[in-house]
């Protein structure tokens, strides 16, 4: 039986290969994702894996959603995410166990992580049973502890040169029982300081920095700081976006408010600086 975690090259479509050598538990494709990618949560030799590919290079079926990025651009993003995974080892990043090269591009084989995706379709955001609502309703000590993990991961990523792109609640998988936070889908992170060449960039408006809407603006660690701050503020204020409802001490709220300043120069200069004020306030 071929083994997904050791095979290096295949001459067939990953979709067929994955079905041959594992049991598919769930498929992610154009019906569930905007990306145009095709991925599978599978069980193979007693282990759960997540296999991600750029999907097909064939044109979409008539009436089907046309992805924003064509197949070569999707493959480029997956190669970017391979670089990211290999540059940073952190518990919050699911381990990239293998990369299988195929005629349709790489298949990334990750460990599958337990838990539920915090981001849900907008129509489900008011459902009290959704992971989105349950996450925001966690006891303060648990919620802030999970944000410790998110921030600590980004210190490691920034040290490896990565600037956040398209980081939103759909990247957060929470295991409510542990509790534990894992971060997925960092395909759009960029190396070093770059310039906004798109105007409105990909991402969820709720968490995007002003410079991600402005053609020609600089994107750097302060952009990461803003998005981290926004994610924390959104959930730690239990969706009210008000200081009065922030579920932590003043010092922590202040550190987060500083991260969410509109002008990049009013924010901490880097992720490490933001993390320093966050952790100082957390331990106070
Ligand atoms: N390591 C993992 N373990 C378990 N489930 C995962 C893992 N990685 C991703 N998933 C699940 O698969 C879904 C799709 O993964 P991902 O977001 O990386 O795909 P994508 O093609 O980039 O989609 P999008 O359109 O959301 O950008 C995620 O929303 C999550 O539910
Ligand atoms: Mg994606």
């Amino acid at each position: 039986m071929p083994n997904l975690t050791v095979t290096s090259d295949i001459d067939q479509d990953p979709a067929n290969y994955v079905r041959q050598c594992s049991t598919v538990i769930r498929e992610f494709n154009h019906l569930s994702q905007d990306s145009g990618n095709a991925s599978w949560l599978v069980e193979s030799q007693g282990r759960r894996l997540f296999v991600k590919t750029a999907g097909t290079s064939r044109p979409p079926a008539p009436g089907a959603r046309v992805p924003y990025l064509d197949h070569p651009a999707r493959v480029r993003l997956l190669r970017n995410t391979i670089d990211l995974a290999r540059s940073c080892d952190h518990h919050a990043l699911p381990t990239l166990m293998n990369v299988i090269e195929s005629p349709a591009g790489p298949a990334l084989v990750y460990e599958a992580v337990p838990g539920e995706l915090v981001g849900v379709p907008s129509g489900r955001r008011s459902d009290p049973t959704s992971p989105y609502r349950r996450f925001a309703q966690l006891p303060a000590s648990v919620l802030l502890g999970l944000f410790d993990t998110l921030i600590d991961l980004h210190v490691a990523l920034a040290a490896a040169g990565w600037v956040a792109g398209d980081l939103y609640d759909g990247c957060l998988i929470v295991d409510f029982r542990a509790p534990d936070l894992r971060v997925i889908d960092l395909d759009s992170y960029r190396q070093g300081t770059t310039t906004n060449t798109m105007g409105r960039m990909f991402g969820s408006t709720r968490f995007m920095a002003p410079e991600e809407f402005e053609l020609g603006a600089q994107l750097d660690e302060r952009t990461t700081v803003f998005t981290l701050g926004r994610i924390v503020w959104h959930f730690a204020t239990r969706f009210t976006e008000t200081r009065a409802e922030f579920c932590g001490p003043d010092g922590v709220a202040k550190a987060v408010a500083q991260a969410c300043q509109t002008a990049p120069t009013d924010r901490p200069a880097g992720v490490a600086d933001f993390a320093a004020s966050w952790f100082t306030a957390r331990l106070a």
Side-chain angles (χ1 to χ4, degrees):
M1 172 81 118
N3 186 338
L4 280 169
T5 59
V6 296
T7 307
S8 57
D9 286 295
I10 54 174
D11 56 12
Q12 57 174 317
D13 199 309
N16 298 330
Y17 184 75
V18 163
R19 285 192 184 88
Q20 264 170 34
C21 56
S22 66
T23 306
V24 175
I25 298 164
R26 192 169 164 194
E27 176 164 340
F28 302 90
N29 56 27
H30 65 282
L31 300 174
S32 57
Q33 313 303 128
D34 295 327
S35 60
N37 295 333
S39 308
W40 302 270
L41 184 64
V42 303
E43 199 156 283
S44 167
Q45 306 186 333
R47 258 194 310 209
R48 284 209 170 190
L49 304 169
F50 176 74
V51 184
K52 183 165 181 174
T53 74
T56 177
S57 53
R58 291 186 297 278
R65 216 167 13 177
V66 181
Y68 293 113
L69 298 175
D70 62 14
H71 187 264
R74 299 200 297 272
V75 167
R76 276 199 295 279
L77 277 194
L78 289 186
R79 298 222 179 274
N80 183 55
T81 220
I82 294 170
D83 289 345
L84 182 145
R86 290 184 174 157
S87 71
C88 181
D89 182 20
H90 193 284
H91 166 77
L93 278 187
T95 305
L96 178 62
M97 302 173 74
N98 191 20
V99 177
I100 302 172
E101 291 295 340
S102 86
L108 281 59
V109 182
Y110 289 97
E111 64 164 321
V113 295
E116 298 169 73
L117 196 69
V118 172
V120 298
S122 51
R124 262 202 87 198
R125 285 193 202 131
S126 51
D127 174 356
T129 67
S130 67
Y132 176 76
R133 287 273 148 187
R134 281 156 49 223
F135 183 60
Q137 296 311 328
L138 283 170
S141 60
V142 175
L143 187 59
L144 297 180
L146 294 175
F147 287 137
D148 288 344
T149 302
L150 179 70
I151 292 166
D152 188 62
L153 166 66
H154 281 83
V155 172
L157 287 168
W162 295 100
V163 170
D166 201 7
L167 172 63
Y168 73 121
D169 50 5
C171 301
L172 309 180
I173 294 187
V174 170
D175 180 350
F176 286 96
R177 281 170 305 181
D180 197 9
L181 177 87
R182 313 298 284 274
V183 185
I184 57 155
D185 195 16
L186 306 185
D187 306 4
S188 298
Y189 277 42
R190 297 167 301 272
Q191 259 300 309
T193 299
T194 54
T195 301
N196 177 343
T197 55
M198 289 177 73
R200 195 221 186 269
M201 300 186 63
F202 295 137
S204 168
T205 309
R206 291 166 299 156
F207 309 111
M208 285 164 72
E211 59 270 26
E212 292 179 286
F213 293 88
E214 191 191 327
L215 192 67
Q218 179 171 307
L219 307 164
D220 59 20
E221 278 194 43
R222 289 183 156 117
T223 313
T224 310
V225 166
F226 184 95
T227 296
L228 290 173
R230 277 294 309 142
I231 290 175
V232 176
W233 193 256
H234 185 67
F235 289 99
T237 62
R238 321 284 198 194
F239 306 126
T240 63
E241 311 281 351
T242 61
R243 168 67 194 94
E245 298 295 325
F246 189 90
C247 69
D250 254 345
V252 178
K254 250 172 116 171
V256 180
Q258 191 77 52
C260 299
Q261 291 297 307
T262 304
T265 48
D266 290 340
R267 301 173 209 152
V271 178
D273 303 271
F274 168 52
S277 54
W278 165 270
F279 285 110
T280 304
R282 287 276 291 132
L283 294 171

